[in-house]
Amino acid sequence: MKRYQLLVLLTIVLLSVTDPSDSFAAIKERYEYEQTGKVFWEADTDETKLALTFDDGPHPANTPELLDILKAYNVKATFFVVGKWVKAYPDIVQRMLDEGHEVANHTYSHIYDEAITKEDLMEEIDHANQVLEETVHIRPTYFRPVGGYYTDDIIDAAIDLKQDVLLWSWHQDPRDWAGTPTTEIVKHVVDHAQGGDVILLHDGGGDRQKTLRAVKLIIPVLKHQGYQFVTASELLKPSPIYLN
């Protein structure tokens, strides 16, 4: 009897491990996602072009200050905005567009959830798109998942809504979101810079003065080294969709 009970228990354990209804969605290798032509980490190019990207805004204090810095250096960037903050600060997003920056989708609520269902994520993406369409009359080309999480469901949610997924170069996350000192942010970005990079920084989610100071230093150094700063669409080539 004990041996029978042990076999039953082992069978249950094995079934639970291999159950296809497991809450963790399937994840492919990066290469497989890149082959779809819809998922990007960086550009494969010999050109000295880089994309500065900023997540989690717009922020009422950080973002206008950042826009001032970018304007002073004549640099264009890509902003992955959160829908609820777009709704709160539409004038800041309009300024981004007026000054030649690209605006992209970073969900409506900015929920950290690697196991989010495809249906819930589609609602988040679509809600953010609706806000952008209603306030600044654009539909973004790119979506960036919160936390950089990617699974089949997360990728498929964006693709089904006809948006490409843009993450960032794995060597270009200086962890400014974690309170990294300005000098370390600068050193990380500059030391790892190479053509085609998509650099991850943040203008929302808290006090970003260290990031802002870092941007003031990163831009002139990399410009002196011959790098050009462009939007994500300029780096990766697709054309953004502007609505009437």
Side-chain angles (χ1 to χ4, degrees), residues 62-169:
N62 301 335
T63 309
E65 186 175 349
L66 174 59
L67 288 170
D68 289 343
I69 295 167
L70 296 174
K71 186 175 183 179
Y73 286 106
N74 191 29
V75 162
K76 309 307 178 191
T78 301
F79 290 85
F80 285 87
V81 296
V82 176
K84 65 181 180 181
W85 300 129
V86 174
K87 192 171 183 178
Y89 309 109
D91 291 347
I92 298 177
V93 181
Q94 187 61 58
R95 180 183 169 189
M96 293 174 185
L97 295 169
D98 290 345
E99 296 183 0
H101 303 292
E102 183 167 9
V103 172
N105 189 317
H106 198 41
T107 75
Y108 181 82
S109 304
H110 198 263
I111 299 171
Y112 274 94
D113 184 1
E114 186 175 7
I116 190 169
T117 66
K118 178 181 176 181
E119 292 73 22
D120 287 346
L121 181 56
M122 287 183 74
E123 287 184 15
E124 279 282 314
I125 297 170
D126 192 50
H127 194 178
N129 281 340
Q130 288 176 22
V131 171
L132 285 165
E133 290 173 9
E134 291 167 3
T135 57
V136 294
H137 313 296
I138 66 160
R139 183 179 181 84
T141 299
Y142 294 106
F143 164 71
R144 175 173 285 167
V146 177
Y149 295 137
Y150 59 94
T151 64
D152 287 358
D153 282 349
I154 290 172
I155 299 300
D156 289 346
I159 292 175
D160 284 358
L161 289 168
K162 302 188 185 306
Q163 288 186 274
D164 293 343
V165 178
L166 178 58
L167 292 120
W168 58 83
S169 303

Side-chain angles (χ1 to χ4, degrees), residues 1-7:
M1 179 62 70
K2 289 182 180 180
R3 180 178 297 177
Y4 173 79
Q5 290 173 334
L6 180 60
L7 287 172

